[in-house]
Amino acid sequence: MTKNITVGVLALQGAFVEHMTLIREAAVLVKLKRDWEWQFAEVRTASELEACVALIIPGGESTTVSLVATRSGLLEPLREFVKVKRKPTWGTCAGLILLAESANRTKKGGQELIGGLDVRVHRNYFGRQTESFQAPLDLPFLKDQASKLDNQEGEKEEKPFSGIFIRAPVIEKVLPVVQGEQIDESLLDETVIAVSTDAERAEAAKQVLRPVEIMAILPGRSRALKKKIEGLGLDDEIGDIVAVRQDNVFGTSFHPELTKDARIHIWWLNQVRDTIQGQSLR
């Protein structure tokens, strides 16, 4: 009997259709073990989320997604999915904001966060919609993937990934690993933090979370915004952090779904496959 492995795309608002297109394309190249089969589903309810082994939270308006999730009773199931069950989750742009444990430039009570990544994000860091841009990104994790895919052809240079930044956030700070709420962050002006649930607190004693990994940096852009950086008191030594991972939670401030390039979707789906196949052996 075939076992369906369902990956969901949160479909409350934003670019979920584009994600569905690329993740289906990626699945052709990511093989499961015998008798397992990929399925992909738009997620709008708690029951649809429950059927998923992994989830993508697309770009859009994070405040709108948070509001709709709260009103539809989906916010707490999302927190449990990400922070208690620790299922593989990827957020792009607005999705990254929702997955952050702290977000600034936000009115208190104006934005609910899911959490899962011990980072502080800076909302709309790059400006308004009219200031959107594309930039080539050097992504080492894609190079590792390419070497595996092209092992029969020898080494092949991996082309940069075209990052699309639309009212994009940036990872302003990597925070210390905290089991529960980032209380120190809540003391900052215009900053909200993710709520720690009872279930998360109960599970915390069993979990050992790894520190956040920096997966991609946009060099040079912050230097172009030097006056803005200085005014905000941000660290300009390493450029702008635009992708991070912590255990099974991955976030990008740019929009891979708005390109025709499925490489990041292929990489992420490989991570999902390795996670679920590893769990099946326990």
Side-chain angles (χ1 to χ4, degrees):
M1 179 181 291
T2 300
K3 179 179 180 180
N4 292 325
I5 305 300
T6 302
V7 174
V9 179
L10 191 65
L12 302 181
Q13 190 265 345
F16 57 87
V17 172
E18 291 83 350
H19 266 301
M20 289 289 285
T21 298
L22 280 189
I23 201 69
R24 286 188 173 118
E25 182 181 326
V28 175
L29 295 175
V30 182
K31 303 300 183 184
L32 290 168
K33 66 182 186 180
R34 187 178 178 183
D35 298 329
W36 285 19
E37 185 176 285
W38 291 116
Q39 277 202 339
F40 302 98
E42 295 178 3
V43 172
R44 297 181 178 87
T45 67
S47 61
E48 290 169 342
L49 180 64
E50 181 65 27
C52 297
V53 301
L55 181 71
I56 295 174
I57 304 176
E61 294 286 344
S62 63
T63 305
T64 300
V65 174
S66 173
L67 182 62
V68 175
T70 301
R71 289 179 175 175
S72 63
L74 191 53
L75 185 61
E76 290 307 320
L78 282 167
R79 285 176 173 152
E80 182 179 3
F81 187 95
V82 178
K83 300 176 73 174
V84 178
K85 297 179 178 177
R86 303 301 298 185
K87 291 189 177 182
T89 307
W90 172 20
T92 63
C93 195
L96 167 63
I97 295 172
L98 290 166
L99 290 174
E101 287 290 333
S102 172
N104 68 11
R105 299 299 183 253
T106 305
K107 293 180 181 179
K108 301 287 185 183
Q111 168 90 65
E112 291 278 2
L113 302 177
I114 297 167
L117 288 168
D118 283 308
V119 298
R120 181 200 306 150
V121 296
H122 187 292
R123 293 161 51 92
N124 299 338
Y125 170 77
F126 292 110
R128 301 179 181 181
Q129 188 113 2
T130 55
E131 298 171 287
S132 302
F133 65 97
Q134 288 185 237
L137 298 174
D138 180 36
L139 303 178
F141 60 92
L142 290 188
K143 291 180 180 179
D144 293 341
Q145 173 175 268
S147 66
K148 293 175 184 177
L149 290 175
D150 299 322
N151 57 4
Q152 293 181 342
E153 302 175 22
E155 290 192 13
K156 190 159 123 183
E157 185 175 350
E158 184 73 3
K159 66 180 181 179
F161 192 92
S162 182
I164 298 177
F165 295 82
I166 303 173
R167 295 181 62 202
V170 74
I171 293 92
E172 181 176 289
K173 184 177 182 180
V174 173
L175 302 173
V177 176
V178 172
Q179 295 285 13
E181 297 175 359
Q182 291 279 356
I183 299 298
D184 289 349
E185 290 291 300
S186 68
L187 304 177
L188 302 176
D189 292 337
E190 295 186 322
T191 301
V192 296
I193 63 170
V195 172
S196 180
T197 65
D198 290 340
E200 181 193 348
R201 285 189 286 270
E203 189 68 17
K206 308 174 191 175
Q207 296 178 346
V208 179
L209 296 181
R210 298 174 189 167
V212 171
E213 299 175 69
I214 296 173
M215 304 292 283
I217 291 172
L218 179 63
R221 180 70 185 184
S222 62
R223 288 192 289 276
L225 301 173
K226 191 166 183 61
K227 289 184 179 179
K228 181 177 180 180
I229 297 295
E230 291 173 348
L232 294 171
L234 303 183
D235 183 359
D236 187 36
E237 291 183 1
I238 62 170
D240 296 317
I241 303 171
V242 294
V244 289
R245 176 174 65 175
Q246 187 174 19
D247 290 318
N248 285 338
V249 186
F250 177 54
T252 56
S253 61
F254 52 97
H255 289 266
E257 74 275 18
L258 299 184
T259 72
K260 294 183 179 180
D261 189 339
R263 283 179 294 164
I264 296 181
H265 286 77
I266 294 169
W267 173 84
W268 182 73
L269 207 56
N270 270 306
Q271 309 306 301
V272 174
R273 179 198 61 193
D274 293 348
T275 297
I276 60 175
Q277 291 188 167
Q279 290 170 346
S280 73
L281 297 175
R282 294 174 189 172

